[in-house]
Amino acid sequence: MVHHVVPATAETVHWGYFSRTLEPILSIASGDLVTIETLTHHAYDDHARMIAGDAGAESVFHWTKDQKNVDRRGAGPLDASTYGRGSGEGLGVHICTGPIFVHGAEPGDVLEVRILDVQPRGSRNPDFAGRAFGSNAAAWWGFHYKDLLTEPRPREVITIYELDASGAQNWARAVYNYRWVPQTDPFGVVHKIIDYPGVPVDHCLVMENHSILKGIRVPVRPHFGIIAVAPREAEFVDTIPPGYFGGNIDNWRIGKGGMMYYPVAVPGALFSVGDPHASQGDSELCGTAIECSLTGTFQLIVHKRDELGGTPLADLHYPLLETADEWVVHGFSFADYLAELGEKAQREIFTKSSLDAAMRDAFRKMRHFLMTTKGLSEDEAISLMSVAVDFGVTQVVDGNWGVHGILKKAIFTADDPVRVV
Amino acid sequence: MVHHVVPATAETVHWGYFSRTLEPILSIASGDLVTIETLTHHAYDDHARMIAGDAGAESVFHWTKDQKNVDRRGAGPLDASTYGRGSGEGLGVHICTGPIFVHGAEPGDVLEVRILDVQPRGSRNPDFAGRAFGSNAAAWWGFHYKDLLTEPRPREVITIYELDASGAQNWARAVYNYRWVPQTDPFGVVHKIIDYPGVPVDHCLVMENHSILKGIRVPVRPHFGIIAVAPREAEFVDTIPPGYFGGNIDNWRIGKGGMMYYPVAVPGALFSVGDPHASQGDSELCGTAIECSLTGTFQLIVHKRDELGGTPLADLHYPLLETADEWVVHGFSFADYLAELGEKAQREIFTKSSLDAAMRDAFRKMRHFLMTTKGLSEDEAISLMSVAVDFGVTQVVDGNWGVHGILKKAIFTADDPVRVV
């Protein structure tokens, strides 16, 4: 068993898209450990706290008139011919580290991802030693955006949070907020709203309000918004809508100690991690979490298709979370939007968001899990879901909206050896 | 402070409707205690276990060719001229104990309901001494009903659960299930589906399957599906859709130790309790919980409108739950469907169910709570909701579907005396 280390640099990340065509940055064996640095795409909301002095972040975010280290940001055209925002058009926003090729992983297999450790990335600016920072953007894609009470309407607001980099304190607090004002990127494009990731924010143009959310401690729940295998359907896939391949699930339970299972769609799985969060509430209401760079340690294990029968992974066609106490299924407005919505899927999905559909998908997946893994009849599964499974709103901001279903392991006692896995 | 006791009998219940015109069964002072028996409307799914030998239940459920002790069941016409199901037409199904007139409660005030104790109602049949029972109906109004995998489709299934009546065991287990088959009520009406509450189930006609959900322990979460004040808008209101007046919220967190706050809509509030549940999952997926008769002890406190400023109850226009650790707001597809949908509201609401709308209502209510009670700006409230408030699916089966938002009290620390209530 080898332990690999992957720093986040301009060479090890892909920004805003998944692609089965990407060259792997690393190849590993099933069972290997890998420590992976991930960077939040919101770091430039406060360069001083989240980029300055950090060689990896500086490498990824470097953007001057003459040089943009990571040019493509999003699954859109390289020449920005659709909206003129920039290369990739920001159709997909998350910085992902990877992809990693896992030897032996083939379509039909299941990739198990054990999240062994998650640590915040401390500020490398000596002025902020010992602290880590994150940004929460209440943005145009948020659930609240067209439904504001107070002027000016609409508006986008960035709130910077800080937490203890050592992990000794389990809470974050707000440092300040500011209203987004038009920002001109180094190539001269004006971004009136937050329509392209990694645009440098000029703090001379914004007004920082430092007396906010006083006395409020936000519980820290470090997790990865994105853990993904590469989807099979399209060459370039926007990182925003989650799907069968995982991706931007944005469930805060996908943290340390968790185990995720994904159906492998392409040879080698092509595993990527990104969208690190310090904290998020169920729904991710305003569009983002506390977006905060994190480093994770993972063990990746391939389960071959023909060895899955009779295990909890039998016939797994969706991303499944196992924690110490729970099984969690993830429903989406469309279980497999890339296949279901056809060629225009990557545009259409943003017009068809619905919790009602996501609830239906979560119901179907939990029923499948109970019938397949636990051997229940359909009548048993449906009754049990109604009296003992909790469904919650994962997110209402990622195009393919999410509802999760939580099944407590303790429900299954040891006195029925046939049914207990 | 007086401690009243209200048994459940044919004289102390109203079945399937709320009404501002009902004669109170009791008048109490603000601050009084009242112990209230409640009966599940599903008790006749297993007469031997849930009615036999129980004088109160026998009084309420008594129905022969010559005598039906509680005739009206539902807000429909007394002569069953709409569907022919029976008096009240089953437009509303829950047995509610009450109403109780609370002296001093006026429209605009808030009624606080402290749930001091909740106990299961043990079977009064000596064959089942020490046990309590409940019924889970996977019924035609369930989320799953038109989406079944296995034959026969569609079907309705009753699952009988049992629990320890003393409360020593904190779990329930399934006893058996059976498929609903047409049942002829004592007046000769055939009920092909579960379309009228309290229809006697002839166990000679059904096949009991006793080997189900083996080894599975369902955590017990005793709570009241319904706690209500009388709505102002209509004379007879179906008990199924919840609203600003509370009613059928179906949140399992409304149990022992909880405190509910309701905006008073009519003089005396006209407080009722019903729809007792032993356990429910968030979503109540198949249409019901473990429907199980319970007895609760409550303290009812009137907060006068002009004393609410600066308190957590300022401008309260929705049902609010406080537990030891949390504040919980309840969003619905329509916050006040009776007013919003006009004259046909009680029919229309069942055609307009949506979690998307309920999520929006829950967002607005949580924002109101944070801005009013906690004194946050809108920007502070929206950021905090995204990073620290959890939204969940309360129910998808009550017409006016529900999403709740959970705010942890621990977020508010004592080091900011201005903002902490």
Side-chain angles (χ1 to χ4, degrees), chain A residues 136 157-160 174-179 206-213, chain B residues 377 379-380 383:
Chain A
N136 170 251
V157 176
I158 300 287
T159 304
I160 302 297
V175 184
Y176 68 94
N177 69 10
Y178 62 87
R179 205 170 288 155
V206 302
M207 178 140 71
E208 297 184 2
N209 307 301
H210 278 260
S211 189
I212 58 163
L213 291 164
Chain B
S377 71
D379 290 340
E380 290 175 303
S383 182

Side-chain angles (χ1 to χ4, degrees), chain A residues 42-345:
Chain A
H42 281 273
Y44 231 137
D45 293 342
D46 186 331
H47 182 278
R49 287 177 171 82
M50 291 188 272
I51 298 177
D54 184 326
E58 287 180 344
S59 160
V60 170
F61 282 94
H62 182 79
W63 186 1
T64 63
K65 187 164 65 67
D66 304 312
Q67 174 67 25
K68 185 183 177 193
N69 279 2
V70 183
D71 189 39
R72 177 190 271 280
R73 303 181 184 184
L78 281 173
D79 64 0
S81 53
T82 310
Y83 301 110
R85 298 170 182 166
S87 178
E89 291 284 27
L91 298 176
V93 296
H94 310 93
I95 301 169
C96 298
T97 309
I100 295 173
F101 186 98
V102 187
H103 284 288
E106 294 292 335
D109 297 343
V110 167
L111 183 67
E112 174 181 347
V113 179
R114 298 185 180 179
I115 308 171
L116 303 179
D117 194 33
V118 183
Q119 293 294 332
R121 185 181 183 97
S123 178
R124 309 293 160 90
N125 181 337
D127 292 351
F128 303 106
R131 312 301 293 165
F133 295 90
S135 171
N136 170 251
W140 61 269
W141 62 88
F143 191 79
H144 68 293
Y145 188 65
K146 293 178 182 168
D147 194 3
L148 287 166
L149 295 172
T150 56
E151 297 291 351
R153 294 183 290 186
R155 63 183 179 276
E156 294 181 309
V157 176
I158 300 287
T159 304
I160 302 297
Y161 287 83
E162 74 170 4
L163 54 151
D164 172 44
S166 75
Q169 288 172 347
N170 63 356
W171 47 272
R173 70 171 193 89
V175 184
Y176 68 94
N177 69 10
Y178 62 87
R179 205 170 288 155
W180 184 270
V181 297
Q183 298 288 338
T184 306
D185 73 33
F187 290 173
V189 175
V190 178
H191 301 273
K192 289 188 178 174
I193 57 173
I194 305 171
D195 64 359
Y196 194 75
V199 169
V201 172
D202 182 347
H203 277 251
C204 297
L205 301 177
V206 302
M207 178 140 71
E208 297 184 2
N209 307 301
H210 278 260
S211 189
I212 58 163
L213 291 164
K214 287 179 71 176
I216 289 178
R217 294 181 173 183
V218 175
V220 169
R221 302 166 162 178
H223 62 282
F224 297 96
I226 288 180
I227 301 178
V229 294
R232 77 179 78 83
E233 288 79 3
E235 199 172 334
F236 288 91
V237 176
D238 185 323
T239 54
I240 293 172
Y244 73 88
F245 51 88
N248 193 29
I249 293 178
D250 280 330
N251 183 343
W252 58 263
R253 295 162 188 84
I254 303 177
K256 181 173 176 172
M259 289 172 279
M260 283 294 297
Y261 304 94
Y262 302 90
V264 174
V266 304
L270 296 183
F271 171 81
S272 298
V273 190
D275 193 28
H277 294 167
S279 298
Q280 190 205 294
D282 280 335
S283 88
E284 202 182 20
L285 189 122
C286 79
T288 60
I290 298 181
E291 310 283 323
C292 170
S293 300
L294 301 172
T295 297
T297 298
F298 306 88
Q299 185 175 31
L300 275 58
I301 300 168
V302 177
H303 297 276
K304 297 303 291 179
R305 173 179 224 158
D306 54 8
E307 294 163 5
L308 301 179
T311 79
L313 306 179
D315 189 28
L316 187 80
H317 53 281
Y318 46 79
L320 174 69
L321 170 63
E322 179 179 5
T323 70
D325 303 321
E326 299 170 344
W327 292 101
V328 184
V329 299
H330 298 97
F332 308 115
S333 300
F334 292 84
D336 182 3
Y337 78 100
L338 290 166
E340 289 171 77
L341 297 179
E343 258 188 41
K344 294 180 179 170

